[in-house]
Amino acid sequence: MNPLKKLFKQTFVYGLATVLPRMLSFILVPLYTSVMAPGMYGKISVIFAWFAIFNVFLAYGMETTFFRFYSKEKDKNTVVSTSLISILITTAVFVGICFMFFNSLSQILEIDKKYFGYVIAILALDAIVVIPFAWLRANHKPMKYAIIKILNVAINLGLNLFFLLALPNLVNANGEGFLGILYKPNFQISYIFISNVVASGITFLLMSELYRKTKWIFDKVLWNSMMKYAIPVMVAGIAFSINEVFDRVLLEKLLPENVSEAKVGMYSACYKITLFMTLFATAFRMGIEPFFFSHSNTENPQKAYAQITNYFVILGSLILLAVVVYADVLKVLIVRDPAYWEAMPIVPIIVLASFFLGIYHNLSVWYKITDLTKFGAYISIIGAILTIIINIVFIKYFEYMASAVATLVAYGVMMFLSFYFGRKYYPVPYNFRKIGFYLILSITFSILAFYVCNRSLIIGNILLAIFLGLLYKLENDNLKKVFLKNGNKNN
């Protein structure tokens, strides 16, 4: 099979497994915004922001590191066991510290003590399945990966629907018995976390086979080498998380107390409308990361990497324009309460920012392949610093628009820095003419559709049709080679 075709096939399956968990956000946003005021939704958004940061901290780059060492080491079993033991020990230490300093940490993070226990449990359960999920990806088992991820979503979604919608109605109809005991008024946030704990716990049970069948060997020399690779990846990941979610924390802290949580709720809800680009970029990354490492020793891998980036920019440009054109349609489906729509102007900015982040991930192949992960850390730290500075300086003037622009600036700078250093350490023959054409055309059409033409669906559809026409005319033959069966004959 054409390696690019295989890549896109795996990307589709991983994408399905990635899209469905993220689709949970689409389904739950209308649910949450219907049962919560913007202030309460803002509160839970801040807690989930801390989730994102601590998830990266607890994984400390071991996912990417596992791929790197699993692909190059002869004794793969030792790589697996060393990784599992490392994650188990660090997770246990984390849980111990959290319970020793429970009250102090909950106060520092401004997470209510009644929620903090749930937060610890979810973080720990998610951390100890990082390596088992990475093992599935490294061994090209996308279907099992997808099934378990989808099951996690189904359990989480089902429990959210039961606790937030069904249970109150059932109790109102018949308040006696077990359901009456289970139901508590004003308990929505706790119900959300209980749903997450149950889903994460069942996921761990399903993924625990790798723990049971592994021969417990800890190679200290191997672990030291892995940590040298992993720590810069972790730093980069934490910086990424700051870029992605820390603006919610800063908005809550820097805006006046009487409006801060409501503004965070509006911003977070409208942010979800941009999720199509995030889903595409994440699914693509899930497919290309193992591909990068497995093809790094083939003849002229840079050519394949350049082709992958071309396809990403082409498809991403289409998604950017489509999301912007149909933003007002999506807001009715996803964020049904008009009280949240005030933040709609952030949508094009955040979609473009997510697109830049996706391009950055494609460009980042150079420092992962050459083991120069410290550059990934440096670049991400610069992005995080930009995010924090722009938010601190401008939130008081522009509120959540400052946060949106900070995200765009941070990811844009990271993208250009990765390209700049990549040319020096691992040159890849990117087709800048093609990449620039689609990127500039999509951004221009998006600005026209959303800002200049005041989100007119008629004009937006015309611009989208023009873009699709150009895409078909210029790329039809190339796309057929990748996606159609007879494409093998042409490669």
Side-chain angles (χ1 to χ4, degrees), residues 18-33 41 45 48 153 156-157 160 196 244 248 268-276 278-279 330 333-336:
T18 305
V19 165
L20 286 175
R22 296 296 184 96
M23 282 297 288
L24 189 64
S25 298
F26 279 111
I27 300 168
L28 292 179
V29 168
L31 174 61
Y32 291 166
T33 54
Y41 184 64
S45 297
F48 276 112
V153 171
N156 198 346
L157 174 60
N160 268 277
N196 275 267
E244 188 173 355
R248 278 74 153 182
S268 300
C270 290
Y271 203 110
K272 297 294 185 184
I273 297 172
T274 71
L275 200 58
F276 285 104
T278 305
L279 295 176
L330 293 172
L333 298 173
I334 301 169
V335 189
R336 294 177 182 174

Side-chain angles (χ1 to χ4, degrees), residues 295-304:
H295 285 72
S296 61
N297 294 321
T298 60
E299 184 178 351
N300 194 16
Q302 292 92 331
K303 182 179 178 181

